[in-house]
Amino acid sequence: MKFLTDSNNIPIKNLYYMLCYAWQHLDEREFVSISREDEKDIKHLLTRILLVKLRSLIKRGFYREYQNNREETSTLRGRVLFKESIQSFSFKRAKMHIEFEELSHDILHNQIIKSTLYQLLQLPGFDKKLKEEIHQLYSYFAQIKLIKLDGYIFNTIRLHRSNQHYRFVLDICQFLYEALLLNEEESDSKFADFERNPKAMARLFEDFVRNFYKKETPHFKVGRENIYWDATGENTSYLPIMQTDISLEDSGRKIIMDTKYYQNALTQNRGSEKLVSANLYQLFAYLSNHKEVNKELSGILLYPKTGKELNLSYEIKDFPIKVYTVDLNRSWDIIHDRLLEIVKE
């Protein structure tokens, strides 16, 4: 099955809305208004938004944390390190080795931001005006060191009430890092085309739909869940766990939804169009092994619309199953209403 390939036709504003839902930054949706008519891609828009957020952050002041420092000094503070002082004969120089904590801006949060800006400045073919704006802000990070970015670093960031305002900025930095292909053996670097990256877009589509329903349908409990095979035997531990993309549950019904970001929701079989059998098998396995018996249980396959619109409804072994498409190229209001319509009773 081919992944969707024409997602580059999705309007940049719609991609930004999808990211806001996927990242759970719905308060930041207003920033789509700064998009220009000639915006090249989602990376340029996010860079533009990043710069707006950084100006606000700089005005507010960089977040600081206490860092451990060691030094040899004649001014005593913190904890005296007697062993190191004796071994280096510091006392002969009227000094002692000490260890102390000091508030510093040179912490991982700010290092990630500076390193992201630095990589943007290295990009050939990047918007010149945006680069000029990056240069202007880059000077504010003079006392913060550059680091080599990797996926692990973003997972080690600690966010809490005092630095929660960094979360959206760091999410943009992570997106730009993941979209930026850095070839260490060659001098030039370039952005990966996120909109043409099928795995990234499939993950975005799933996260967007899940968080859309979390926000827009508060009467549902929305999340992922593990479903275990209704099986007996000596070694059931070998059976793989089934995990739903999205489960929606209220007092009277439960919907198991599977999102599929494919080029075609239908396949050709001897000249006629058919649904993808593997997708139906997967959804049916979820439904038939589910242990819930006190609620109406149904399944939904959801595709982005690339050809004809689908509104299909079946009952398979007493399970209601529906197949829908949502057109991500339409205006956001239409997308919003379409997703709500899909889960109506």
Side-chain angles (χ1 to χ4, degrees), residues 39 73 86 90 181 211 269 294:
E39 200 77 74
T73 178
I86 293 172
S90 295
L181 294 179
N211 289 329
N269 186 0
N294 298 321

Side-chain angles (χ1 to χ4, degrees), residues 223-314:
R224 307 186 72 169
E225 67 172 321
N226 291 335
I227 297 176
Y228 299 90
W229 293 92
D230 186 11
T232 58
E234 295 181 357
N235 297 302
T236 57
S237 60
Y238 285 104
L239 293 173
I241 295 175
M242 296 175 282
Q243 187 176 66
T244 65
D245 288 347
I246 306 164
S247 294
L248 303 95
E249 184 174 6
D250 63 14
S251 59
R253 63 187 181 131
K254 184 167 193 174
I255 302 170
I256 294 177
M257 182 180 294
D258 219 28
T259 59
K260 299 297 182 184
Y261 201 81
Y262 288 157
Q263 180 179 353
N264 297 302
L266 303 172
T267 60
Q268 292 290 331
N269 186 0
R270 297 182 179 179
S272 61
E273 293 181 319
K274 303 291 183 183
L275 291 169
V276 181
S277 58
N279 297 344
L280 279 173
Y281 295 154
Q282 181 180 6
L283 184 59
F284 181 74
Y286 292 164
L287 295 170
S288 59
N289 287 278
H290 196 276
K291 300 298 190 295
E292 182 64 60
V293 294
N294 298 321
K295 297 181 181 181
E296 178 188 338
L297 183 63
S298 62
I300 293 177
L301 283 174
L302 180 62
Y303 297 88
K305 178 178 176 291
T306 58
K308 65 173 62 176
E309 183 174 295
L310 296 180
N311 293 283
L312 306 176
S313 181
Y314 306 98

Side-chain angles (χ1 to χ4, degrees), residues 17-69:
Y17 280 129
M18 291 171 67
L19 285 168
C20 285
Y21 275 101
W23 294 344
Q24 301 185 62
H25 288 302
L26 298 186
D27 293 340
E28 312 293 349
R29 285 176 293 182
E30 64 196 52
F31 281 106
V32 77
S33 62
I34 73 173
S35 176
R36 303 185 323 195
E37 291 299 323
D38 61 344
E39 200 77 74
K40 294 180 180 180
D41 50 38
I42 189 64
K43 280 86 65 176
H44 279 82
L45 174 58
L46 286 178
T47 300
R48 202 179 306 281
I49 294 171
L50 175 63
L51 297 180
V52 173
K53 296 292 290 184
L54 287 182
R55 291 188 187 97
S56 175
L57 188 150
I58 290 168
K59 186 175 181 180
R60 178 174 181 169
F62 289 131
Y63 171 65
R64 300 184 298 171
E65 286 183 347
Y66 281 102
Q67 289 189 327
N68 284 325
N69 294 283

Side-chain angles (χ1 to χ4, degrees), residues 99-341:
E99 184 179 61
F100 61 95
E101 287 189 336
E102 188 174 49
L103 277 173
S104 172
H105 296 122
D106 191 18
I107 59 173
L108 185 58
H109 306 66
N110 298 321
Q111 292 166 359
I112 287 176
I113 297 171
K114 179 175 182 177
S115 300
T116 301
L117 295 178
Y118 176 80
Q119 298 295 353
L120 291 174
L121 289 173
Q122 311 310 308
L123 286 174
F126 201 61
D127 186 271
K128 290 184 179 180
K129 289 185 178 179
L130 273 181
K131 275 195 174 184
E132 291 173 2
E133 294 182 42
I134 295 172
H135 268 297
Q136 294 172 1
L137 296 184
Y138 191 74
S139 60
Y140 287 93
F141 293 81
Q143 303 303 314
I144 297 167
K145 67 173 178 283
L146 285 170
I147 60 172
K148 181 176 175 59
L149 297 176
D150 58 49
Y152 174 77
I153 284 176
F154 289 96
N155 294 328
T156 62
I157 286 289
R158 293 179 301 170
L159 294 172
H160 44 74
R161 183 177 299 178
S162 299
N163 60 16
Q164 192 65 25
H165 56 289
Y166 269 71
R167 191 162 73 93
F168 186 52
V169 169
L170 292 172
D171 279 341
I172 293 178
C173 289
Q174 183 170 4
F175 177 94
L176 294 174
Y177 160 73
E178 291 175 351
L180 189 60
L181 294 179
L182 294 178
N183 189 336
E184 297 180 352
E185 297 179 359
E186 299 180 9
S187 59
D188 62 328
S189 304
K190 64 178 181 178
F191 265 126
D193 192 345
F194 176 81
E195 298 90 322
R196 292 177 180 270
N197 184 322
K199 291 184 179 179
M201 285 299 299
R203 185 171 63 248
L204 171 60
F205 184 55
E206 178 188 329
D207 291 344
F208 152 61
V209 174
R210 183 187 308 110
N211 289 329
F212 175 90
Y213 286 123
K214 281 183 181 180
K215 174 65 178 178
E216 306 297 342
T217 58
H219 59 287
F220 278 121
K221 177 184 176 182
V222 181
R224 307 186 72 169
E225 67 172 321
N226 291 335
I227 297 176
Y228 299 90
W229 293 92
D230 186 11
T232 58
E234 295 181 357
N235 297 302
T236 57
S237 60
Y238 285 104
L239 293 173
I241 295 175
M242 296 175 282
Q243 187 176 66
T244 65
D245 288 347
I246 306 164
S247 294
L248 303 95
E249 184 174 6
D250 63 14
S251 59
R253 63 187 181 131
K254 184 167 193 174
I255 302 170
I256 294 177
M257 182 180 294
D258 219 28
T259 59
K260 299 297 182 184
Y261 201 81
Y262 288 157
Q263 180 179 353
N264 297 302
L266 303 172
T267 60
Q268 292 290 331
N269 186 0
R270 297 182 179 179
S272 61
E273 293 181 319
K274 303 291 183 183
L275 291 169
V276 181
S277 58
N279 297 344
L280 279 173
Y281 295 154
Q282 181 180 6
L283 184 59
F284 181 74
Y286 292 164
L287 295 170
S288 59
N289 287 278
H290 196 276
K291 300 298 190 295
E292 182 64 60
V293 294
N294 298 321
K295 297 181 181 181
E296 178 188 338
L297 183 63
S298 62
I300 293 177
L301 283 174
L302 180 62
Y303 297 88
K305 178 178 176 291
T306 58
K308 65 173 62 176
E309 183 174 295
L310 296 180
N311 293 283
L312 306 176
S313 181
Y314 306 98
E315 189 165 302
I316 304 175
K317 292 290 185 179
D318 297 327
F319 294 116
I321 292 179
K322 298 182 179 181
V323 182
Y324 293 112
T325 54
V326 56
D327 190 348
L328 299 176
N329 296 329
R330 302 294 297 275
S331 70
W332 189 255
D333 290 342
I334 293 177
I335 295 172
H336 178 278
D337 293 344
R338 172 64 169 171
L339 289 175
L340 292 182
E341 175 191 355

